[in-house]
Amino acid sequence: MPRLVIIKGPMLGRNFELKGETAFVGRSVKNDVQIKDRAISRKHLKVFRIGKKIFLEDLRSTNGTMINDKPIEPGEGFEVEENDIISIGHTVIRLDELPPTEGLDARISEARQHKDDSGEDDQKTRERRSRSSKDLELIYKVSELLRKSRGTYAFFQKVVDYLMETLPRIDTAAILLYDIHKREIKEVISDARKGIAKGGEIYSRSVVNQVLGDHKPIRMSNINYEKPEDLSDSTSTMQMGSIMCVPMISNSEIWGVIYVDSIRAPYGFRKDDLLLLNALSGLVALAIEKAAPSS
């Protein structure tokens, strides 16, 4: 059952189950979820479901509502995902145990019935088209590279280079090759932006180990608000803002992971970025499998 978890603020650590289709959040005792924070309005926020999706609506509160550090328009429904960070007043909230969806990344949801005909929408459309073109170009480049130099060090280094060119928000990118017999990382191919220094640790071991163990991708929007058990000491000392890590799987075998992070700011990656990384991981996994010696 979905839960609202307070991860920062006067009621840090408290959590509330969202049992019905709609729940109201605010300072007043009349709300389904009462949060004792003077910067929150008496009735601040509505949380509601449409099918399996969860939406938030700011109820024209005094100090507003932010999702992933971006203010949302009052009176409109915005879809949220499990990794999204919600800020109201001096309180920061995360929704846990949400059902899997094809969520939107902190943008207006299906709950909005009328599209804005302003030039801003046209600009967003152009940006999405430009982004799609870059994503397709990356996949094409890696596909061509796969035909020429699959499974070599030069191949992996070139994939890392292409990835950093496509996603300028990346500060560090790495391909970690996994020995499926010894069950350990055997090689790391990585790169970092100029001026980015991390010492000896270039990736989060806890995140990589979790992906290798679960065979599932991870996107951490802001590691400052992640559950402590999901982070290692090395992660907290590396001054990361956000992380993505996806498994490279082919024929049910995991051949390693692709790992990227952004230390300049949190919320560096969107869900579209994770989808791109997933698509890329399949191609790289295929290259590793084909280059592997037959047993």
Side-chain angles (χ1 to χ4, degrees):
M1 180 175 294
R3 293 183 303 127
L4 184 153
V5 181
I6 298 177
I7 57 178
K8 183 179 179 182
M11 296 177 66
L12 173 66
R14 293 287 304 277
N15 66 85
F16 306 86
E17 285 189 351
L18 303 176
K19 298 179 180 179
E21 294 296 313
T22 302
F24 291 93
V25 180
R27 198 176 73 248
S28 169
V29 295
K30 295 181 180 180
N31 291 284
D32 301 288
V33 177
Q34 182 193 18
I35 300 179
K36 298 176 182 179
D37 180 341
R38 292 184 179 181
I40 292 176
S41 297
R42 292 179 63 82
K43 185 171 280 191
H44 194 110
L45 192 66
K46 180 171 75 172
V47 184
F48 61 99
R49 304 186 200 190
I50 298 179
K52 292 184 178 180
K53 299 182 180 182
I54 304 291
F55 299 89
L56 299 183
E57 179 184 340
D58 180 88
L59 301 174
R60 307 193 183 280
S61 63
T62 301
N63 293 320
T65 300
M66 293 197 296
I67 301 176
N68 296 340
D69 274 355
K70 296 178 182 178
I72 65 174
E73 289 293 325
E76 297 178 353
F78 285 77
E79 187 182 353
V80 287
E81 298 177 308
E82 195 156 3
N83 286 322
D84 290 335
I85 303 300
I86 303 143
S87 302
I88 55 175
H90 301 306
T91 298
V92 179
I93 297 166
R94 181 175 58 209
L95 295 174
D96 277 0
E97 301 179 16
L98 300 188
T101 70
E102 297 177 356
L104 305 177
D105 198 357
R107 58 191 170 107
I108 194 160
S109 69
E110 296 171 359
R112 183 175 181 180
Q113 308 221 342
H114 302 288
K115 293 184 178 179
D116 186 354
D117 292 327
S118 66
E120 184 178 353
D121 275 353
D122 292 338
Q123 182 181 354
K124 289 179 180 178
T125 300
R126 288 194 296 271
E127 288 173 355
R128 283 196 297 271
R129 287 173 178 169
S130 174
R131 168 63 198 273
S132 297
S133 175
K134 289 181 180 179
D135 291 356
L136 290 173
E137 184 179 356
L138 171 64
I139 298 301
Y140 173 76
K141 283 181 176 179
V142 174
S143 298
E144 286 296 296
L145 194 62
L146 182 60
R147 290 195 306 108
K148 300 173 183 176
S149 57
R150 69 175 69 136
T152 65
Y153 184 90
F155 169 82
F156 298 122
Q157 189 61 61
K158 205 67 178 175
V159 171
V160 168
D161 293 343
Y162 288 158
L163 190 54
M164 295 187 72
E165 288 173 9
T166 305
L167 295 179
R169 295 179 298 280
I170 292 176
D171 285 320
T172 303
I175 293 177
L176 291 85
L177 305 181
Y178 186 63
D179 189 316
I180 60 176
H181 302 295
K182 295 181 179 179
R183 301 294 172 184
E184 62 184 20
I185 298 295
K186 62 180 180 180
E187 192 170 5
V188 178
I189 302 94
S190 65
D191 198 7
R193 300 281 180 201
K194 187 176 181 181
I196 301 299
K198 293 186 176 182
E201 196 76 40
I202 61 167
Y203 62 90
S204 167
R205 285 174 284 119
S206 57
V207 170
V208 168
N209 289 339
Q210 184 176 338
V211 172
L212 286 172
D214 296 343
H215 293 197
K216 294 180 180 178
I218 287 178
R219 175 173 66 97
M220 293 182 173
S221 300
N222 186 341
I223 70 163
N224 294 319
Y225 297 136
E226 292 299 326
K227 303 171 187 175
E229 60 267 27
D230 291 339
L231 301 172
S232 65
D233 292 339
S234 65
T235 305
S236 60
T237 59
M238 288 164 68
Q239 298 181 334
M240 296 174 189
S242 46
I243 295 171
M244 290 194 302
C245 187
V246 300
M248 298 187 297
I249 298 174
S250 180
N251 285 330
S252 301
E253 288 282 5
I254 185 163
W255 299 91
V257 303
I258 299 178
Y259 171 94
V260 299
D261 65 42
S262 174
I263 70 172
R264 289 170 291 179
Y267 315 114
F269 304 121
R270 299 187 287 268
K271 188 171 183 182
D272 287 347
D273 298 328
L274 188 64
L275 295 175
L276 173 62
L277 216 60
N278 265 323
L280 184 64
S281 69
L283 288 174
V284 180
L286 183 62
I288 301 171
E289 183 189 17
K290 289 187 175 181
S294 301
S295 55

